[in-house]
Amino acid sequence: MRFIKLYQRYMLRPIVYQSSTRLAFSLAIALLLREFAATPLPWSLIALAAVFLLLSWVAWLRLDGARLPALDHRLFRARKRKDPFAGGAMADYLDEKPISFEELTNEERDACLLVSNLIAAIILGTAGALL
């Protein structure tokens, strides 16, 4: 219930970015496992879906107030580059920069991690079950 109160519209962009990144990396890992470890593709997809379910459970616990290590917050932090197109003269909301994952509060980050991990787990689990 707390997640529904916490979700805002500006959190959609980080959720989509994280889900697509997680899906791309997990598909690459599944294909590498199939090629080099002779693991069937459906089993590796289901195993990766289980990993993402575990990560979403950890994010849920952090959202609920448990003090667990926040690995996803600092693991893949990239250096920010200077935006050469900042400060344009467009109308309305075009001048406003979209909110990135780093600009969110810790609770909003945990909510984004929860949803993106669940999306990745559902897509990978469904793909593994159908193959």
Side-chain angles (χ1 to χ4, degrees):
M1 187 59 117
R2 181 181 170 124
F3 170 73
I4 296 171
K5 293 178 185 176
L6 188 64
Y7 178 75
Q8 298 294 325
R9 184 176 172 92
Y10 58 84
M11 293 168 58
L12 185 63
R13 182 175 182 248
I15 289 171
V16 170
Y17 282 3
Q18 286 183 353
S19 317
S20 60
T21 304
R22 282 164 170 42
L23 287 172
F25 280 131
S26 58
L27 184 61
I29 289 171
L31 290 174
L32 286 173
L33 283 174
R34 184 190 71 170
E35 189 67 28
F36 295 116
T39 306
L41 186 62
W43 288 107
S44 59
L45 290 176
I46 290 173
L48 288 169
V51 168
F52 283 121
L53 280 176
L54 179 68
L55 289 174
S56 63
W57 179 64
V58 169
W60 176 265
L61 288 177
R62 275 195 309 243
L63 194 61
D64 201 29
R67 298 289 178 207
L68 298 171
L71 297 175
D72 288 331
H73 291 228
R74 290 177 236 110
L75 190 59
F76 298 109
R77 185 169 289 175
R79 295 181 187 165
K80 291 186 179 181
R81 290 183 274 162
K82 187 176 179 182
D83 188 11
F85 299 108
M90 301 301 279
D92 293 339
Y93 295 103
L94 295 177
D95 287 338
E96 292 183 12
K97 188 172 180 149
I99 295 176
S100 66
F101 182 73
E102 289 81 19
E103 297 171 0
L104 298 174
T105 64
N106 284 338
E107 287 183 343
E108 291 173 341
R109 288 179 185 178
D110 290 335
C112 286
L113 288 173
L114 171 69
V115 174
S116 63
N117 288 332
L118 281 176
I119 289 172
I122 289 170
I123 291 174
L124 289 173
T126 305
L130 292 178
L131 290 178

